[in-house]
Amino acid sequence: MKVEQVAAQLFTIRDFLKTPAAITESLEKISDIGYQAVELCALGKLKATDLLQLCDELGLVICAAHEASDRILDEPEKVVETLRALECKYTAYPYPSGIDLSSDLAVSDLISRLDHAGSILAEADLVLTYHNHQIEFRKVNDKIILDMIYEDTSTQNLQAEIDTYWVQVGGGDPAAWCSKLKDRLPLVHLKDYRINEQNEVEFAEIGSGNLNFRDIIRSAEAAGCEWFIVEQDHCHGDPFEALATSFEFIRENLCS
């Protein structure tokens, strides 16, 4: 992994993206930390063209964007327009909002709609990925839902954005999932996992938790991963400091 492949997921700093001025200031901080790429999320105050110009000025590549779940399924053509305006190849289906994952019929319908939406993006030479949480590790008819999602969609129409923390919460092995999705894994969310003093699971800066990121990176690289995206859903202080701590650990310990 090269340092220029390391991106910051802007959901981490979502509370600092409320106005155009705040977005500009926040992206400047991300660039100053050393990140050379970002994955967009929680941004709605700037037009795509203005956002692209701002990122260009700061030397930030827009490596991917999280679009709203319903928009991806219901209006994939509009997602294509947005990605083209951002000069961005990848988007991610962020969360199965409103989907009853206990229902075989609902899961099958979701999979079919993901495959269709992905086909629209593929026709435009763009890529739809699936961002997992722990909920996709429940079983329906004795099969893990995340397995079903990838088994029952075309590789061309749906690829993966594995989230290391949520795989761990779901009882999976993050490195093994990266290997399983060889040639179907352009994006990985790097997110650490630890047990706090109250014996509770919590998010952590990369290198501050229990995940073996050397194995994860090795497996992701072998699978063909292009972007390694740092995210921390909840931070214990300043989220910019959390992103900086993660970046320094990655640069010093995981980059070649």
Side-chain angles (χ1 to χ4, degrees), residues 84-138:
R84 284 177 168 167
L86 292 169
E87 297 182 6
C88 174
K89 180 178 180 180
Y90 297 108
T91 190
Y93 180 83
Y95 188 79
S97 178
I99 308 296
D100 179 7
L101 295 185
S102 67
S103 165
D104 186 29
L105 182 62
V107 171
S108 296
D109 181 64
L110 171 63
I111 291 171
S112 176
R113 295 174 72 194
L114 286 167
D115 196 64
H116 171 71
S119 72
I120 301 298
L121 269 68
E123 289 175 3
D125 294 322
L126 303 171
V127 178
L128 174 63
T129 69
Y130 189 93
H131 171 260
N132 68 274
H133 290 79
Q134 86 282 20
I135 56 176
E136 294 90 354
F137 285 86
R138 71 183 297 171

Side-chain angles (χ1 to χ4, degrees), residues 47-61:
K47 293 190 300 184
T49 51
D50 293 337
L51 189 54
L52 176 62
Q53 181 179 349
L54 174 60
C55 287
D56 283 346
E57 291 171 355
L58 295 172
L60 294 169
V61 174

Side-chain angles (χ1 to χ4, degrees), residues 28-223:
E28 288 173 346
K29 290 181 178 179
I30 294 296
S31 178
D32 288 343
I33 289 169
Y35 287 98
Q36 299 178 43
V38 291
E39 181 177 40
L40 304 185
C41 186
L43 285 162
K45 302 298 184 181
L46 282 180
K47 293 190 300 184
T49 51
D50 293 337
L51 189 54
L52 176 62
Q53 181 179 349
L54 174 60
C55 287
D56 283 346
E57 291 171 355
L58 295 172
L60 294 169
V61 174
I62 301 174
C63 69
H66 274 208
E67 290 287 307
S69 301
D70 289 346
R71 190 167 190 252
I72 288 173
L73 296 181
D74 298 334
E75 302 176 301
E77 294 85 0
K78 291 187 178 180
V79 175
V80 168
E81 293 176 6
T82 298
L83 293 179
R84 284 177 168 167
L86 292 169
E87 297 182 6
C88 174
K89 180 178 180 180
Y90 297 108
T91 190
Y93 180 83
Y95 188 79
S97 178
I99 308 296
D100 179 7
L101 295 185
S102 67
S103 165
D104 186 29
L105 182 62
V107 171
S108 296
D109 181 64
L110 171 63
I111 291 171
S112 176
R113 295 174 72 194
L114 286 167
D115 196 64
H116 171 71
S119 72
I120 301 298
L121 269 68
E123 289 175 3
D125 294 322
L126 303 171
V127 178
L128 174 63
T129 69
Y130 189 93
H131 171 260
N132 68 274
H133 290 79
Q134 86 282 20
I135 56 176
E136 294 90 354
F137 285 86
R138 71 183 297 171
K139 291 185 177 180
V140 173
N141 295 331
D142 293 325
K143 294 194 70 174
I144 291 174
I145 292 171
L146 197 60
D147 276 323
M148 296 169 63
I149 288 171
Y150 291 119
E151 289 173 5
D152 297 337
T153 54
S154 163
T155 300
Q156 181 181 9
N157 295 345
L158 188 70
Q159 298 188 21
E161 181 179 61
I162 284 296
D163 186 299
T164 59
Y165 176 93
W166 290 118
V167 170
Q168 183 77 12
V169 174
D173 179 336
W177 268 91
C178 289
S179 296
K180 178 186 290 192
L181 291 164
K182 181 175 174 58
D183 299 324
R184 202 174 180 176
L185 184 70
L187 313 174
V188 167
H189 271 191
L190 302 182
K191 193 182 298 183
D192 215 340
Y193 171 108
R194 71 179 171 212
I195 308 300
N196 64 21
E197 294 178 356
Q198 290 74 43
N199 295 319
E200 299 168 335
V201 172
E202 67 180 11
F203 299 96
E205 294 76 16
I206 306 302
S208 301
N210 298 333
L211 297 188
N212 187 336
F213 280 102
R214 288 178 176 81
D215 281 353
I216 291 169
I217 298 301
R218 189 180 303 115
S219 297
E221 285 189 306

